[in-house]
Amino acid sequence: MAKDEIKQEDLLNIDHSPSLFKKGWMNTPVDIRPSMHCYACEPARLKVVDFPNPRVWSVMDEDWKLPKDWKETVMDAFKDRLDRFRTFKLFMDICVRCGACADKCQFFIGSADPKNMPVLRAELIRSVYRRNFTAAGKLFGKLAGARDLDYGVLKEWWYYLYQCSECRRCSVFCPYGIDMADITIIGREMTNLLGLNIDWIAAPVAFCYKTGNHLGIQPHAYKSMLEFFQDEIEEVTGVRVEPSFNRKGAEVLFITPSGDVFADPGTWTCMGYMILFHQLGIDITWSTYASEGGNFGLFTSHDMMKRLNGKMYMEAKRLGVKWILGGECGHMWRVVNQYMGTMNLDLAEGSNLENPVSPMTGTKFENANSTKMVHITEFTADLIKHGKLKLDPSRNDHRKVTFHDSCNPARAMGLLEEPRYVIKNVCNHFYEMPPSTIREQTFCCGGGSGLNAGEDVELRMRGGLPRANAVKYVHEKYGVNMLANVCAIDRAVFPGLMEYWVPEVDVTGVHELVANAMVLDGEKEKTVDLRNEPLPGMEDAEDV
């Protein structure tokens, strides 16, 4: 279903009343609806990464073509993960169903489906846990909140596990610190053992495993795209930037999401990186093999997450760089900062990488001593603080900017002040959204965790409604016309979301704004920005 077929008034007709619970959630079978789920994964994707049960199947079919021993497979995996992951076992036991998280999920806010409340989404799994792994559940069944795992329950798991973007907003409000994303990850792991995945996750995982990036782009095509950007930059600025590729012995390896290389508005952010590196003269190289910072393994399994994260460090070792600089990405930074210590720390230490030090300011990034990776906004904020960039923020005066705290960098990394510091130094007009919608409490874009597909457009518009509502507020109050962020998924999801809910607002990465404000050595008189839109006061220039 296309966006123009879904009326706003229908999506805004949301009933959160308790009457929805009359039947009891255990007695309400799952209702899988079109445009509220992604397509099933294709068998070729699963074969690439040796995942089980590759076959052609459809979510709307009655028969999902599961192996005969599917129940045993799931229960064995359940027991294994209870034994391996102490947090998972803890999260199965300690929830008191207080409801503090109930109204915090954007998918529940936007859909009013009770099973999208984090507490109830977890109960879908906890109920099976109680039936099989607790004495009360074995003896008293439903009276103890327990139920058997049957075909309908499995479908319910799949449907709602893939309506969670793993943004972890609910965990901010949980008095026990339960991380719903951890439950979702392990639930997805168990369904993946049956070949139940979505193509919007399985395809990027397979492509990344084969070619080094989510889009399946070959090295020569990656290089060609950056060469195209060289021409675009020269046309706008008069300066020819010269990035290097796969250069051994460089000081720094730069890795960014492939979405920045191949999809607007990320492409202008990528040009911003190139301009910044050229102006500073940093000894930096790009890899056409480890050409992806993002990690869809986070949405698949712990093992896949580790496998895909490792490629960055193996490439760093091959090239002999000192440390890694990472672009504006969401789940890359959650994986690196939250999971690195138990996944690939040996690779980081075995690659002879050094603790990152800025070659321009001498700043030691102590927070990156274990991971050997620095976020680009940390790096740029440090440059600005030390006066290493000549900036003219008036070049962004046609932009009234607000900032979306991307879920993973904000909640998993604590990257809250650096992007704001950068934006305030390159823009004269910056406005915050309401406090309950930003920083640690930020809302998700509605398309994270592999949900940025075309076929689940209603789910994305519903899930993105709370964020869009906050953007609409600052648009109407302050005239905001640009939504900045530091995540490639956001830059992919927000254009469609804004077009639907707040069409007057456009989307940008932070380093597009940085590049527009930079005064470059040898630049020509600039009349347009990187989008070839007139700079303030240059609307009537001859070459516009």
Side-chain angles (χ1 to χ4, degrees), residues 390-537:
K390 186 176 180 181
L391 301 169
D392 179 2
S394 69
R395 291 178 173 182
N396 283 315
D397 276 355
H398 53 319
R399 310 296 190 196
K400 293 187 176 182
V401 183
T402 192
F403 179 67
H404 163 74
D405 290 277
S406 304
C407 302
N408 288 312
R411 278 190 280 266
M413 190 182 181
L415 192 78
L416 305 173
E417 301 306 327
E418 291 88 347
R420 288 175 167 82
Y421 179 80
V422 173
I423 292 171
K424 289 175 183 178
N425 277 277
V426 300
C427 297
N428 288 321
H429 307 292
F430 175 73
Y431 305 93
E432 292 277 20
M433 288 180 273
S436 62
T437 72
I438 59 174
R439 299 180 183 271
E440 293 91 340
Q441 297 185 38
T442 186
F443 279 111
C444 178
C445 64
S449 190
L451 304 183
N452 182 28
E455 65 270 17
D456 67 339
V457 63
E458 181 181 343
L459 175 66
R460 291 193 294 111
M461 295 305 108
R462 288 186 180 278
L465 173 59
R467 170 46 76 223
N469 196 41
V471 175
K472 185 176 182 180
Y473 172 81
V474 290
H475 166 68
E476 293 177 346
K477 186 171 183 177
Y478 304 112
V480 163
N481 58 15
M482 185 63 77
L483 175 60
N485 61 81
V486 289
C487 174
I489 294 294
D490 288 335
R491 290 190 286 279
V493 172
F494 276 142
L497 189 73
M498 292 298 105
E499 181 187 2
Y500 188 82
W501 290 115
V502 200
E504 303 87 355
V505 177
D506 214 332
V507 181
T508 183
V510 169
H511 279 78
E512 177 186 347
L513 300 173
V514 172
N516 283 336
M518 285 180 63
V519 179
L520 307 179
D521 296 338
E523 70 176 22
K524 69 177 185 180
E525 183 183 9
K526 288 180 70 174
T527 59
V528 295
D529 61 19
L530 288 176
R531 302 188 184 200
N532 274 300
E533 295 178 359
L535 294 176

Side-chain angles (χ1 to χ4, degrees), residues 231-288:
D231 296 337
E232 292 287 297
I233 291 168
E234 186 173 18
E235 183 178 338
V236 170
T237 67
V239 175
R240 184 76 179 178
V241 302
E242 298 290 348
S244 76
F245 301 94
N246 308 316
R247 179 165 55 85
K248 291 188 176 182
E251 181 176 357
V252 181
L253 170 62
F254 180 67
I255 300 178
T256 195
S258 57
D260 282 352
V261 181
F262 289 96
D264 295 342
T267 52
W268 298 304
T269 301
C270 190
M271 292 183 205
Y273 304 146
M274 296 169 72
I275 291 171
L276 177 69
F277 302 154
H278 175 85
Q279 176 66 13
L280 295 173
I282 300 174
D283 184 17
I284 195 165
T285 193
W286 301 59
S287 172
T288 61

Side-chain angles (χ1 to χ4, degrees), residues 333-346:
W333 288 104
R334 181 171 168 207
V335 171
V336 168
N337 281 272
Q338 266 198 296
Y339 295 99
M340 205 43 200
T342 54
M343 285 198 321
N344 301 116
L345 200 57
D346 57 331

Side-chain angles (χ1 to χ4, degrees), residues 69-84:
D69 61 345
W70 69 266
K71 285 187 183 181
E72 291 79 3
T73 298
V74 172
M75 297 317 303
D76 288 346
F78 212 137
K79 183 180 185 306
D80 171 70
R81 281 148 183 80
L82 288 170
D83 293 338
R84 275 201 292 151

Side-chain angles (χ1 to χ4, degrees), residues 52-58 61-68 70 151 154-155 194-196:
N53 199 26
R55 81 283 183 206
V56 176
W57 64 289
S58 172
D61 289 346
E62 188 67 27
D63 182 6
W64 283 9
K65 301 179 182 178
L66 302 179
K68 291 181 180 179
W70 69 266
Y151 212 86
L154 181 70
K155 288 187 174 184
L194 307 177
L196 298 178

